[in-house]
């Protein structure tokens, strides 16, 4: 089993405050805790983006088919401006967004570039007004279209240096600070790739706001570029009217899908409910989870999902912590809930999603958290006892919820 990285530190972990004294230390989950300041208000400032892109301290995380470039599964590799210039040119931000929209050409291939933020721990590098830090970008180098050859050369160059693009779905052996950089990079490149067309009118869209928004341009220059060498009277094609060009619309911003995940206690707080998905390895269980539906509160979603999947009726629900999950764009909202007296009978016939569900004692969960954790496709550790319960690794919010329950949340202690 690969080693499990440490979790990120929460914000201001040593600060004494009324909220910390009442509710306990904040929990920061894996994929959160980024060291980058996103400075989201500067994503529309092409001058800022241009200067950041061209600065010598800038780092680029390359992704090929969503696989990040790395030295090994525990260490990402970042490219420099010199590496990416043959693919991106010297300055992809030299035009204003208005000019980019006016000159939009649906036939042109533009590698997806995402501004991730500034690493403010780097004080002696890039400066823009009052903001200082080393810029970080993510770049999709998947070979395609007119940039296919340049992308292939960049990939081959990195391969020659014994660097590899990490295949696979979940990269949870990265150190926490790198995982928090990889998460938005993957999520934003994936979102842009999934949304090349306008949800309102169906026309191709253009990535703007440093990769954090897509817009539906009113004209298309593809007819002009196709006419080069032919007629000189070609003009941009007027595209059909689109509602997204008027007012404020949410169809062109990155989506985040809220998902509840919950540690469920028995009515007497002596047992914990665990479930087995049909694709889980033998003896591997986890907490229950499901999507929040429109016009539904988090608490209602917790109660509904648990009843639908296990037949258990819940009373009180509290929020514990959250975890961004970039596969593709979830926010896991961790909760702890308690069954009502008389509502603890397990019934799997409502929604056949689970293969099994069962009540497990605190002691069995404690032991599994100590010696029986692993990722879905991984073997348990050396101390694991054959036939024992297996649980998710500490990089999963399910682990943190179970740890909170058996570690003192229940039994008079109010802190979470």
């Amino acid at each position: 089993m690969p080693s499990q990285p440490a979790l990120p530190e929460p914000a201001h972990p040593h600060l004494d405050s009324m909220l910390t004294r009442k509710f306990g230390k904040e929990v920061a989950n894996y994929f959160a805790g980024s060291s980058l300041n996103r400075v989201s208000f500067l994503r529309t400032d092409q001058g800022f983006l241009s200067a950041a892109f061209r600065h010598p301290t800038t780092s680029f995380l390359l992704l090929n088919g969503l696989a990040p470039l790395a030295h090994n599964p525990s260490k990402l590799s970042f490219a420099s401006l010199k590496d990416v210039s043959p693919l991106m040119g010297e300055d992809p931000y030299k035009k204003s967004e208005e000019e980019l929209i006016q000159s939009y050409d649906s036939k042109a291939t533009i590698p997806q570039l995402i501004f991730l933020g500034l690493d403010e721990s780097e004080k002696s590098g890039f400066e823009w007004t009052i903001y200082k830090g080393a810029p970080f970008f993510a770049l999709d180098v998947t070979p395609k279209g007119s940039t296919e050859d340049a992308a292939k050369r960049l990939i081959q160059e990195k391969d020659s240096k014994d660097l590899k693009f990490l295949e696979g779905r979940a990269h949870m052996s990265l150190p926490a600070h790198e995982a928090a950089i990889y998460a938005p990079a993957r999520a934003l490149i994936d979102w842009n790739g999934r949304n090349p067309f306008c949800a309102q009118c169906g026309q191709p869209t253009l990535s703007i706001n440093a990769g954090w928004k897509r817009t539906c341009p009113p004209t298309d220059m593809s007819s002009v570029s196709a006419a080069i060498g032919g007629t000189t009277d070609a003009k941009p094609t007027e595209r059909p009217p689109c509602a997204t060009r008027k007012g404020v619309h949410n169809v062109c911003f990155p989506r985040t899908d809220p998902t509840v995940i919950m540690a469920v206690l028995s009515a007497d707080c002596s047992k914990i409910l665990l479930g087995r998905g049909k694709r889980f390895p033998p003896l591997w269980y986890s907490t229950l989870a499901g999507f929040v539906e429109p016009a539904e509160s988090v608490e209602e979603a917790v109660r509904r999902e648990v009843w639908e999947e296990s037949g258990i009726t819940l009373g009180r629900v509290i929020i514990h912590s959250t975890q961004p999950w970039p596969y593709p764009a979830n926010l896991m909202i961790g909760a702890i809930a308690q069954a009502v007296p008389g509502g603890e009978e397990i019934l799997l016939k409502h929604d056949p999603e689970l293969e099994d569900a069962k009540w497990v004692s605190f002691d069995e969960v404690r032991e599994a958290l100590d010696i029986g954790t692993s990722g879905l496709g991984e073997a348990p550790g050396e101390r694991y006892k054959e036939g024992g319960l297996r649980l998710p690794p500490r990089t999963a919010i399910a682990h943190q919820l179970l740890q909170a329950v058996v570690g003192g949340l229940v039994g008079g202690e109010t802190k979470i």
Side-chain angles (χ1 to χ4, degrees), residues 42-356:
L42 292 176
R43 292 172 188 157
T44 58
D45 188 333
Q46 295 292 96
F48 163 77
L49 294 172
S50 174
F53 177 85
R54 293 179 290 112
H55 199 268
T57 64
T58 299
S59 297
F60 297 86
L61 178 59
L62 309 183
L63 289 91
N64 179 14
L66 299 179
L69 184 67
H71 296 276
N72 55 60
S74 300
K75 184 176 177 57
L76 293 175
S77 176
F78 293 91
S80 67
L81 176 61
K82 181 181 179 182
D83 295 323
V84 304
S85 290
L87 180 63
M88 295 302 301
E90 293 301 321
D91 185 4
Y93 297 111
K94 62 184 177 182
K95 290 184 179 180
S96 68
E97 283 198 347
E98 183 179 351
E99 291 172 324
L100 288 172
I101 293 171
Q102 289 176 348
S103 62
Y104 173 67
D105 182 349
S106 62
K107 297 287 180 62
T109 304
I110 304 175
Q112 186 61 57
L113 184 64
I114 311 290
F115 173 67
L116 299 176
L118 299 175
D119 181 357
E120 295 179 320
S121 66
E122 182 60 61
K123 300 295 186 183
S124 60
F126 175 71
E127 295 186 24
W128 186 262
T129 63
I130 63 173
Y131 310 105
K132 300 179 181 179
F136 276 74
F137 287 82
L139 177 61
D140 183 7
V141 298
T142 306
K144 63 183 73 170
S146 59
T147 61
E148 180 177 359
D149 290 342
K152 285 182 175 179
R153 285 193 294 270
L154 178 54
I155 292 170
Q156 290 168 358
E157 178 191 342
K158 295 303 178 183
D159 284 343
S160 69
K161 297 179 180 178
D162 290 331
L163 301 174
K164 299 297 180 185
F165 289 93
L166 297 179
E167 301 292 342
R169 181 175 177 272
H171 302 295
M172 301 182 73
S173 58
L174 295 170
H177 71 281
E178 290 190 355
I181 293 174
Y182 161 70
R186 188 196 192 282
L188 267 294
I189 287 180
D190 189 29
W191 171 75
N192 276 278
R194 288 171 184 262
N195 294 273
F197 300 103
C198 178
Q200 179 69 35
C201 70
Q203 296 290 316
T205 54
L206 171 68
S207 177
I208 59 174
N209 285 198
W212 292 80
K213 181 181 179 181
R214 298 194 70 87
T215 190
C216 185
T219 60
D220 189 344
M221 296 288 287
S222 60
S223 59
V224 175
S225 59
I228 293 176
T231 175
T232 58
D233 298 328
K235 295 181 180 180
T237 301
E238 293 287 335
R239 307 212 303 178
C242 182
T244 63
R245 300 183 198 128
K246 299 179 181 179
V248 179
H249 296 268
N250 65 356
V251 297
C252 53
F253 289 95
R255 64 183 290 171
T256 295
D257 301 323
T259 306
V260 289
I261 181 167
M262 39 276 173
V264 174
L265 301 168
S266 59
D268 64 359
C269 295
S270 67
K271 298 181 291 293
I272 302 171
L273 179 68
L274 296 177
R276 259 188 59 76
K278 295 177 181 179
R279 65 187 180 89
F280 289 180
L283 305 173
W284 204 94
Y285 282 75
S286 185
T287 54
L288 275 57
F291 287 101
V292 179
E293 295 189 342
E296 182 178 51
S297 72
V298 169
E299 292 83 356
E300 289 171 324
V302 169
R303 295 187 184 98
R304 175 184 55 78
E305 283 288 344
V306 170
W307 180 81
E308 288 179 354
E309 293 185 6
S310 70
I312 305 299
T313 302
L314 298 182
R316 183 73 166 94
V317 177
I318 64 170
I319 307 301
H320 173 268
S321 62
T322 60
Q323 179 180 36
W325 190 254
Y327 303 103
N330 299 104
L331 177 64
M332 307 294 289
I333 304 170
I336 296 172
Q338 187 174 2
V340 301
E344 299 167 298
E345 182 181 357
I346 293 174
L347 188 64
L348 302 181
K349 70 178 184 180
H350 300 310
D351 182 348
E353 182 175 334
L354 295 180
E355 182 178 87
D356 184 35

